[in-house]
Amino acid sequence: MKKLLRFLIAGGVGFVVDAGVLHLLLWFTPFGPFVGRALSIPSALLATWFLNRNFTFGRSNRSLAAEGFRYGSVGLTSALLNYALFSSLLVSMPTLRPIIALILASAAATAFSFFGYSRFVFRHRQNP
């Protein structure tokens, strides 16, 4: 339960980074919500990797490159799921505010991310 709480805190920080970058891009650039979100997601992934590695799960016993690859694989899959849901919501409901679509899509991707990170990326090998 402690790891789940820490994961949700790290995810909350990632959400703030994602939403903040998206908001800044929408406010200060000509980018729309689709391009803006494609640019905000990598910022959030970097923030959550750092927090999940150092605060939530602890460093794995894999090399930094292997851990980074696994984290990126799960993160990219989760981000694609998140982005697909975000885009689908905006296309199907044109009056929906982008921040609401972001909240709904992020919530849906959270369970997938926790499972992937805890089982595939940061799972510590047991000594035989």
Side-chain angles (χ1 to χ4, degrees), residues 20-118:
V21 170
L22 177 61
H23 181 75
L24 290 172
L25 290 170
L26 292 175
W27 191 260
F28 293 109
T29 71
F31 299 140
F34 299 105
V35 172
R37 190 75 201 285
L39 297 173
S40 69
I41 287 172
S43 302
L45 278 175
L46 185 60
T48 59
W49 172 74
F50 178 80
L51 289 170
N52 282 324
R53 184 172 204 262
N54 294 296
F55 175 67
T56 305
F57 300 110
R59 296 174 182 189
S60 70
N61 47 9
R62 295 176 180 83
S63 71
L64 185 61
E67 181 184 291
F69 178 78
R70 285 173 173 250
Y71 193 89
S73 297
V74 172
L76 181 59
T77 303
S78 177
L80 289 172
L81 171 67
N82 193 323
Y83 188 81
L85 291 169
F86 173 80
S87 300
S88 297
L89 287 167
L90 289 179
V91 169
S92 65
M93 294 182 271
T95 60
L96 185 66
R97 296 179 65 173
I99 193 68
I100 301 301
L102 172 63
I103 291 167
L104 295 172
S106 295
T110 298
F112 174 83
S113 297
F114 182 76
F115 179 78
Y117 293 143
S118 65

